[in-house]
């Protein structure tokens, strides 16, 4: 008998990407533990946290992966993207350069992630109104042009954090339940399921050994 936490209808892997310091780790801790940390701590290796939500009467377990600092060196491994069905591409509304770099992150996704991945552009730190450097309308227009959904959040005061994750998980659920996301080449791991396989593998420091194993 599984515990309640093990009972779910769908398991979705969602990755957090975006420049260092934009608030990815705090969005994750706010959503999964309702915690916020003022200090930016960077740990080594890939980490993820999970939380289950209800969508359309189904239990969706979100497995959300955090980069834990590799983005600083543009050294995110293929294992990070493997099996991901969603990505929150985060920038800081008070730091324009993090918004300019969204283009680079989109390219990174095109190169490394499944082409059907659902992408949500997230302008975080919306509480920093007096320091705003990226107009909402501009980001919204950019998102529309690139077929991304868009939201502004604050991990600090919790604004829209819940909504951001709810929206992307609902969007993924709609696509998966209509079977529009095709199985990846790792078919042996998803017997007859419409849910993409989730690979939980240790990735500490051995990026090179995995380089050629990605699902492209
Ligand atoms: P990461 O490098 O993208 O994981 O960013 P972190 O989550 O480590 O956050 C970087 C810094 O920004 C930390 O000092 C956080 O306290 C701060 N921060 C994160 N989210 C917010 C937010 O919504 N508003 C404000 N004002 N600061 C935030
Ligand atoms: Mg972080």
């Amino acid at each position: 008998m599984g515990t309640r936490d093990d009972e779910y209808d769908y398991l979705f892997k969602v990755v957090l990407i975006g420049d260092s310091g934009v608030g990815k780790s705090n969005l994750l801790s706010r959503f999964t533990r309702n915690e916020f940390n003022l200090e930016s701590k960077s740990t080594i290796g890939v980490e993820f946290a999970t939380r289950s939500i209800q969508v359309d009467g189904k239990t969706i377990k979100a497995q959300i992966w955090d980069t834990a600092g590799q983005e600083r060196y543009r050294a995110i491994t293929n294992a990070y993207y493997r099996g991901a069905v969603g990505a929150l591409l985060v920038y800081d509304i008070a730091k324009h350069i993090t918004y300019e770099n969204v283009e680079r992150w989109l390219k990174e996704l095109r190169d490394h992630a499944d082409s059907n991945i659902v992408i949500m552009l997230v302008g975080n730190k919306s509480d920093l109104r007096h320091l705003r450097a990226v107009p909402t309308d501009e980001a919204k227009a950019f998102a529309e042009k690139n077929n991304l959904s868009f939201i502004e959040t604050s991990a600090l005061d919790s604004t829209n954090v819940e909504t951001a994750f709810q929206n992307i998980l609902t969007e993924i659920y709609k696509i998966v339940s209509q079977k529009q996301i095709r199985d990846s080449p790792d078919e042996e791991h998803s017997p007859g399921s419409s849910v993409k396989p989730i690979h939980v593998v240790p990735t500490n420091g051995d990026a090179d050994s995995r380089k050629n194993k990605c699902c492209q």
Side-chain angles (χ1 to χ4, degrees):
M1 297 285 271
T3 61
R4 285 200 58 163
D5 191 46
D6 287 330
E7 291 165 8
Y8 51 84
D9 298 298
Y10 294 89
L11 177 60
F12 295 156
K13 174 176 173 178
V14 173
V15 292
L16 286 161
I17 54 166
D19 283 6
S20 180
V22 297
K24 299 182 295 300
S25 298
N26 275 283
L27 284 168
L28 180 60
S29 62
R30 176 63 80 196
F31 179 64
T32 57
R33 304 192 301 273
N34 199 19
E35 284 174 15
F36 180 82
N37 199 319
L38 266 176
E39 283 156 47
S40 195
K41 52 178 190 309
S42 59
T43 41
I44 305 210
V46 168
E47 291 173 309
F48 65 84
T50 61
R51 183 176 149 191
S52 293
I53 63 157
Q54 297 291 313
V55 176
D56 203 20
K58 299 274 193 291
T59 302
I60 311 283
K61 183 169 181 174
Q63 187 187 66
I64 303 146
W65 288 51
D66 187 14
T67 61
Q70 307 98 309
E71 73 274 28
R72 218 165 289 163
Y73 318 103
R74 307 199 65 78
I76 296 180
T77 65
N78 282 330
Y80 188 72
Y81 296 107
R82 193 177 303 142
V85 289
L88 291 181
L89 202 181
V90 188
Y91 67 92
D92 177 344
I93 67 131
K95 280 218 178 80
H96 202 267
I97 186 69
T98 67
Y99 174 69
E100 289 162 41
N101 284 336
V102 164
E103 294 266 19
R104 293 168 73 171
W105 286 108
L106 284 175
K107 181 175 185 315
E108 166 101 359
L109 281 175
R110 275 198 299 275
D111 291 347
H112 298 281
D114 188 293
S115 56
N116 290 311
I117 194 167
V118 174
I119 307 168
M120 176 178 269
L121 182 63
V122 179
N124 188 42
K125 308 199 187 181
S126 61
D127 56 284
L128 298 178
R129 287 169 199 85
H130 52 299
L131 296 172
R132 178 182 285 276
V134 182
T136 306
D137 288 348
E138 187 185 328
K140 206 180 203 168
F142 176 86
E144 271 166 28
K145 202 178 112 206
N146 288 277
N147 267 320
L148 319 172
S149 34
F150 171 69
I151 197 165
E152 285 187 349
T153 57
S154 168
L156 177 81
D157 68 17
S158 296
T159 302
N160 276 345
V161 175
E162 198 73 19
T163 310
F165 284 98
Q166 280 273 353
N167 286 1
I168 192 168
L169 292 169
T170 302
E171 208 178 316
I172 295 165
Y173 167 75
K174 282 184 182 154
I175 294 170
V176 168
S177 60
Q178 291 164 17
K179 297 184 190 296
Q180 283 174 356
I181 289 184
R182 299 289 166 218
D183 288 337
S184 76
D186 295 330
E187 267 163 359
E188 73 269 23
H189 294 300
S190 58
S193 166
S194 61
V195 182
K196 299 271 285 188
I198 303 287
H199 299 264
V200 183
V201 287
T203 53
N204 291 7
D206 61 348
D208 289 339
S209 68
R210 296 175 195 283
K211 241 173 207 157
N212 298 318
K213 295 186 183 166
C214 186
C215 40
Q216 294 176 50

